[in-house]
């Protein structure tokens, strides 16, 4: 780690390594802060934080790729020299525009990239191991925060220019969830078969407190017939689960929506009602029996066969229309209203839709890719529209014509909430295969949702696939998707993170696709207090 801790005098005493122009910029920037503070530079050897945003042909000049601006700096002989180049760079037209990440390519597929030094000016921090056979290392340049946006709106910018993170968050910019070890007796929702003890797969669940029953309620995608996640397109159904603790263990109550139904999102409405969105397709009894996978054993899915023909979308003629459905109830126990379709979000694949409902009944939702959807009345499907689409184009055409997702991250499984005047979101990113955080300030009431897009800022990795347990062991799950936060009864305190996780194996690997719903607690400022006091009453 290279850490620059200096006064203005020290700066000019070290001009063999730091340029006069940087010293001048450093001093000027600190005039706007109550007390001069250091600029921290954290080095990550063998980690590439830039290549995802480069054009395939490499880079010889500045460019914008995937919405992320990349600056080509001078060639460097080391990561330390590259970091100093990045510290020295300033945009003549905007002195507040600085390099946030520096990347040095010791070895690269393109000769023009060898010893190249690059920097990112966006706050995104999504490092990954080597890509494209290059050997790259990265530095994170941590400048003094100017306001709470520099702290991901998960903390406050202190007068000394550092971020003070809110409970449940950590990191220099408060973009990482501060996760605790998991008690293996409270894994969340993990079922086992009574006959052979094999895993019964479930794929994530939103978990909410119910003040009437004094229980924690969840709604999970369960893969029936003892199959794994490979058979989700036919065998998934939605089940109701309950528990006495937000961390589990949870028990299944009943099937709420039969197969095929998937990825429920459940929130509370403005009058206390329970609102569920989910993907569905209604087979008749004969049709369902024809497509269900029936040859699973041991909690995993075997190869494609006559008894399991349609897993992983094969053959392609199974690709039915995924209907985006909505149902409501006055109690988590039901009864649930007959589902109604939101046809604007029904298409050839599932949109992973998640929503947050405002006090006036309007709603903001996110779908696969990070696209924002707005409804002036959540309960009226005709009011649901893609944000920033004044022409009301069909969704598929709209996404083909223009980029509507998040800059810098290709995502699915979004989870959205609002806190302190800001929309926040978690989502599963494809590269790296982790969870990411993003935010967008809540616009004023006069905001024209049809004409102007909601601008999301991706802060970077919020959690990875490695989970530590209270017995001292740890496990790196092959997949960790479908994020949901678990909130305390008042809705103000984050208690845990819920995900669908795959034990091991590779994506879509046969006999290795067993999954379950993991719930991992987050750290609070006073962990010595009993859990009953940490969880709000």
């Amino acid at each position: 780690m290279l850490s620059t801790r200096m006064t203005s005098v020290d700066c000019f005493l070290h001009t063999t390594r730091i340029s006069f122009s940087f010293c001048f910029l450093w001093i000027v920037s600190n005039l706007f802060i109550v007390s001069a503070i250091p600029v921290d530079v954290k080095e990550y050897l063998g980690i590439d934080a830039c290549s995802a945003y480069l054009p395939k042909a490499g880079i010889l000049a500045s460019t914008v790729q995937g919405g992320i601006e990349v600056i080509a700096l001078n060639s460097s002989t080391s990561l330390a020299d590259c970091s100093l180049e990045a510290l020295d760079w300033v945009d003549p037209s905007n002195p507040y525009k600085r390099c946030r990440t520096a990347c040095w390519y010791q070895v690269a597929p393109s000769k023009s990239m060898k010893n190249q030094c690059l920097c990112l000016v966006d706050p995104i921090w999504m490092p990954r191991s080597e890509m494209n056979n290059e050997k790259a290392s990265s530095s994170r340049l941590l400048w003094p925060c100017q306001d709470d946006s520099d702290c991901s709106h998960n903390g406050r910018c202190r007068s000394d220019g550092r971020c003070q993170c809110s409970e449940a968050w950590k990191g220099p910019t408060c973009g990482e969830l501060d996760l605790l070890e998991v008690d293996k007796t409270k894994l969340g929702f993990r079922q086992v078969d009574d006959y052979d003890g094999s895993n019964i797969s479930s794929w994530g669940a939103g978990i909410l407190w119910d003040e009437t029953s004094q229980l924690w309620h969840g709604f999970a995608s369960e893969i029936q017939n003892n199959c794994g996640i490979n058979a989700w397109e036919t065998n998934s159904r939605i089940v109701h689960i309950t528990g006495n603790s937000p961390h589990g263990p949870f028990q299944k109550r009943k099937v709420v929506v039969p197969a095929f139904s998937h990825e429920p999102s459940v929130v509370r409405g403005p009058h206390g009602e329970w609102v569920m969105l989910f993907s569905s397709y209604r087979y008749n009894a004969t049709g369902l029996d024809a497509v269900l996978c029936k040859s699973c054993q041991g909690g995993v899915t075997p190869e494609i066969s006559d008894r399991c023909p349609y897993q992983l979308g094969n053959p392609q003629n199974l690709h039915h229309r995924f209907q985006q459905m909505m149902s409501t109830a006055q109690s988590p126990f039901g009864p649930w209203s007959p589902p109604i379709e939101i046809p604007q979000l029904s298409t050839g694949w599932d949109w992973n839709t998640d929503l947050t409902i405002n006090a006036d009944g309007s709603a903001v939702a996110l779908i696969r890719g990070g696209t924002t959807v707005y409804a002036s009345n959540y309960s009226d499907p005709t009011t649901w529209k893609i944000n920033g689409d004044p022409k009301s184009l069909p969704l598929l055409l709209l996404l083909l014509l223009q980029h509507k997702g998040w800059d810098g991250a290709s995502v699915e499984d979004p989870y959205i909430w609002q806190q302190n005047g800001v929309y926040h979101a978690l989502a599963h990113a494809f590269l790296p295969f982790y969870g990411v955080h993003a935010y967008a300030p809540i616009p004023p009431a006069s905001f024209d949702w049809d004409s102007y897009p909601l601008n999301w800022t991706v802060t970077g990795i919020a959690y990875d696939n490695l989970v530590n347990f209270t017995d001292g062991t740890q496990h790196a799950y092959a997949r960790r998707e479908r994020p949901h936060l678990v909130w305390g009864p008042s809705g103000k305190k984050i208690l845990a993170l819920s995900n669908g996780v795959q034990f091991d194996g590779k994506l879509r690997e046969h006999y290795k696709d067993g999954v379950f719903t993991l719930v991992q607690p987050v750290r609070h400022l006073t962990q010595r207090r009993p859990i009953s006091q940490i969880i709000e009453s």
Side-chain angles (χ1 to χ4, degrees):
M1 177 187 295
L2 170 66
S3 187
T4 309
R5 299 178 178 273
M6 57 190 174
T7 66
S8 57
V9 174
D10 295 329
C11 182
F12 287 105
L13 288 176
H14 290 81
T15 53
T16 55
R17 297 191 68 222
I18 303 174
S19 72
F20 280 99
S21 60
F22 167 69
C23 287
F24 177 75
L25 173 63
W26 184 85
I27 292 170
V28 171
S29 68
N30 278 284
L31 292 177
F32 298 95
I33 306 174
V34 174
S35 60
I37 66 168
V39 174
D40 290 338
V41 182
K42 297 186 177 182
E43 291 187 345
Y44 299 83
L45 300 177
I47 297 297
D48 184 354
C50 296
S51 287
Y53 313 115
L54 300 181
K56 293 182 179 179
I59 180 172
L60 293 175
S62 300
T63 184
V64 176
Q65 188 79 5
I68 301 299
E69 186 173 2
V70 185
I71 306 297
L73 304 174
N74 295 326
S75 296
S76 301
T77 58
S78 67
L79 178 60
D81 286 341
C82 179
S83 299
L84 290 171
E85 284 278 350
L87 287 168
D88 199 23
W89 181 85
V90 61
D91 186 338
S93 63
N94 183 0
Y96 292 101
K97 190 176 181 180
R98 299 163 168 168
C99 290
R100 306 291 190 100
T101 299
C103 298
W104 177 61
Y105 292 82
Q106 184 177 356
V107 177
S110 169
K111 290 183 179 180
S112 65
M113 288 286 291
K114 186 175 181 181
N115 293 325
Q116 178 71 59
C117 178
L118 308 176
C119 88
L120 308 181
V121 299
D122 295 87
I124 190 170
W125 176 249
M126 291 181 63
R128 61 206 71 182
S129 56
E130 296 173 7
M131 298 175 60
N132 306 322
N133 300 315
E134 80 276 359
K135 185 175 182 181
S137 294
S138 305
S139 293
R140 193 174 188 184
L141 314 181
L142 301 169
W143 298 91
C145 60
Q146 300 296 315
D147 55 41
D148 290 351
S149 68
D150 291 329
C151 305
S152 308
H153 288 289
N154 290 322
R156 66 178 183 87
C157 179
R158 303 188 317 200
S159 59
D160 64 359
R162 294 186 179 276
C163 290
Q164 180 175 322
C165 299
S166 304
E167 282 193 320
W169 298 96
K170 67 176 183 177
T173 60
C174 306
E176 306 165 46
L177 280 168
D178 194 0
L179 297 169
L180 288 172
E181 297 83 4
V182 175
D183 183 342
K184 289 183 178 178
T185 66
K186 297 180 179 180
L187 285 174
F189 178 50
R190 188 182 170 210
Q191 303 178 95
V192 295
D193 188 271
D194 292 335
Y195 176 72
D196 61 7
S198 61
N199 181 68
I200 298 176
S201 287
S202 65
W203 193 231
I207 296 166
L208 294 83
W209 170 254
D210 174 46
E211 61 279 1
T212 301
S213 63
Q214 295 289 294
L215 291 172
W216 299 89
H217 294 257
F219 296 86
S221 298
E222 179 189 67
I223 315 301
Q224 68 183 72
N225 291 1
N226 211 22
C227 292
I229 193 63
N230 287 358
W232 73 271
E233 279 192 72
T234 54
N235 289 40
S236 179
R237 61 188 181 186
I238 297 171
V239 297
H240 177 206
I241 62 176
T242 60
N244 294 314
S245 163
H247 309 123
F250 289 90
Q251 294 78 38
K252 183 171 76 173
R253 289 274 184 162
K254 65 177 182 179
V255 175
V256 178
V257 188
F260 164 77
S261 57
H262 195 56
E263 56 197 21
S265 168
V266 179
V267 297
R268 302 296 293 271
H271 305 294
E273 70 271 27
W274 295 68
V275 182
M276 180 192 298
L277 295 184
F278 58 95
S279 294
S280 179
Y281 183 76
R282 293 274 64 81
Y283 294 97
N284 58 36
T286 302
L288 180 62
D289 183 68
V291 301
L292 281 177
C293 184
K294 308 181 186 68
S295 59
C296 299
Q297 294 182 352
V300 294
T301 312
E303 298 97 338
I304 295 173
S305 67
D306 291 342
R307 288 180 53 78
C308 191
Y310 294 118
Q311 56 177 300
L312 305 176
N314 291 306
Q316 291 189 359
N317 61 11
L318 176 68
H319 277 186
H320 50 66
R321 188 167 177 258
F322 285 86
Q323 295 173 301
Q324 184 67 69
M325 308 301 289
M326 176 171 54
S327 185
T328 60
Q330 295 304 312
S331 163
F333 295 103
W336 290 88
S337 66
I340 58 175
E341 183 179 4
I342 305 174
Q344 300 91 317
L345 297 180
S346 295
T347 185
W349 58 79
D350 57 322
W351 281 118
N352 311 146
T353 309
D354 190 70
L355 80 163
T356 178
I357 302 177
N358 301 311
D360 64 357
S362 63
V364 176
L366 284 173
I367 61 175
R368 180 189 295 273
T371 297
T372 306
V373 180
Y374 176 76
S376 58
N377 177 1
Y378 87 86
S379 62
D380 181 357
T382 64
T383 70
W384 285 67
K385 294 187 63 177
I386 302 301
N387 167 225
D389 173 27
K391 297 181 180 180
S392 300
L393 295 174
L395 180 58
L396 289 177
L397 178 60
L398 182 69
L399 295 180
L400 288 173
L401 290 176
Q402 55 183 315
H403 173 75
K404 299 296 293 182
W406 292 349
D407 287 343
S410 177
V411 299
E412 63 174 356
D413 293 341
Y415 167 78
I416 183 174
W417 74 98
Q418 48 185 300
Q419 192 173 29
N420 300 325
V422 176
Y423 291 119
H424 290 268
L426 295 174
H428 172 247
F430 291 106
L431 281 175
F433 218 53
Y434 298 151
V436 298
H437 169 262
Y439 70 83
I442 295 177
S446 59
F447 184 70
D448 185 351
W449 288 91
D450 289 341
S451 301
Y452 300 101
L454 195 64
N455 293 317
W456 290 88
T457 297
V458 180
T459 61
I461 296 175
Y463 59 88
D464 58 22
N465 293 6
L466 184 66
V467 175
N468 295 308
F469 296 96
T470 55
D471 63 3
T473 62
Q474 59 180 205
H475 185 74
Y477 288 96
R479 297 168 67 184
R480 187 178 192 180
E481 305 176 19
R482 300 292 300 151
H484 293 83
L485 291 178
V486 183
W487 296 84
S490 72
K492 296 179 180 180
K493 185 187 290 291
I494 300 172
L495 302 181
L497 170 68
S498 166
N499 294 98
V501 296
Q502 180 176 329
F503 293 97
D504 52 22
K506 299 177 181 179
L507 182 66
R508 300 190 172 190
E509 183 177 359
H510 299 295
Y511 299 104
K512 291 281 189 176
D513 63 333
V515 297
F516 74 97
T517 299
L518 174 74
V519 178
Q520 184 171 8
V522 300
R523 189 184 310 278
H524 292 275
L525 298 179
T526 51
Q527 281 301 311
R528 292 183 180 180
R529 292 163 55 196
I531 189 67
S532 60
Q533 294 180 19
I534 294 175
I535 300 173
E536 305 144 314
S537 59

